[in-house]
Amino acid sequence: MTGLPPTPTRPEGRAPAHAALDAAIRALDAAEARQRPVDMVRALTQVGHGYRALAEGAAAERYLQQALRWARTLGGVDASVDLLCDLSELAVEQATDPALDRAEARAARDRARDHGFEAATLARQCADPAWEVTVLLRVSDVLDRCGDHDDAVALQCRAIDLIARSQMTSLPEPRAAAPSTTM
């Protein structure tokens, strides 16, 4: 069993989000029975997203952290990078919660930065440059929202450089000049 916190009260309009969370929890129960890392990553991520949709940030973070632990057993970095981006975006959302005191908001921004920088570092290992660009832009947005404008711009520049290099390698080879036939 997943040890889930009690389901919050269901105000109108949240029923679809609750239904999605309920489905994700059922998928997690099935994944736990199989204990296959890829299934666990997918199911834990879905539960985390379900809680995030319900504005249950702490529960979302717990499930996304569990998914990240499982993702790190998969061998590749793509799932880990995506989860780190999710965690950084969630943390920056939490940092803007008016219910938090200054220390809690600062801690949330620090988590957002840490997850973001780790994602940007691991993104270098991705085989797909387009995916790396997407990650860099996601992290750049988080850093900008944290007030780290210089770091955000640096990641945007890295993304632009990747785009430019990708376009340069996809250009057709220049044709050799045709020999002149005039004499």
Side-chain angles (χ1 to χ4, degrees):
M1 197 61 173
T2 58
L4 298 173
T7 303
T9 57
R10 298 181 183 205
E12 283 303 310
R14 291 178 64 170
H18 278 282
L21 178 59
D22 290 343
I25 290 169
R26 285 191 301 278
L28 177 57
D29 288 340
E32 286 176 332
R34 291 187 300 274
Q35 290 291 302
R36 290 182 39 213
V38 70
D39 294 338
M40 290 298 296
V41 170
R42 185 177 301 118
L44 287 163
T45 301
Q46 289 173 343
V47 172
H49 289 170
Y51 276 114
R52 186 175 178 187
L54 293 170
E56 297 287 336
E61 187 171 11
R62 281 193 307 275
Y63 282 95
L64 293 174
Q65 284 285 2
Q66 289 179 50
L68 179 60
R69 283 192 290 280
W70 278 96
R72 288 184 169 155
T73 70
L74 294 176
V77 296
D78 289 2
S80 295
V81 168
D82 195 35
L83 284 161
L84 286 163
C85 287
D86 284 347
L87 283 162
S88 67
E89 291 163 348
L90 177 61
V92 81
E93 286 173 14
Q94 291 171 324
T96 61
D97 183 347
L100 295 182
D101 66 31
R102 287 177 51 145
E104 292 169 322
R106 184 176 32 255
R109 279 191 303 278
D110 288 345
R111 285 194 316 276
R113 287 182 192 101
D114 291 346
H115 293 312
F117 283 126
E118 186 178 355
T121 300
L122 287 176
R124 292 180 191 272
Q125 298 175 28
C126 295
D128 181 6
W131 172 242
E132 185 177 355
V133 167
T134 299
V135 168
L136 294 174
L137 295 177
R138 284 178 76 183
V139 173
S140 171
D141 181 58
V142 167
L143 294 176
D144 191 55
R145 291 173 62 193
C146 286
D148 295 342
H149 307 297
D150 291 342
D151 288 328
V153 169
L155 290 183
Q156 290 170 4
C157 290
R158 185 171 141 198
I160 290 168
D161 183 54
L162 285 170
I163 292 167
R165 279 192 275 152
S166 174
Q167 290 176 345
M168 292 301 290
T169 60
S170 66
L171 291 175
E173 290 293 320
R175 294 183 190 197
S180 175
T181 57
T182 58
M183 294 229 159

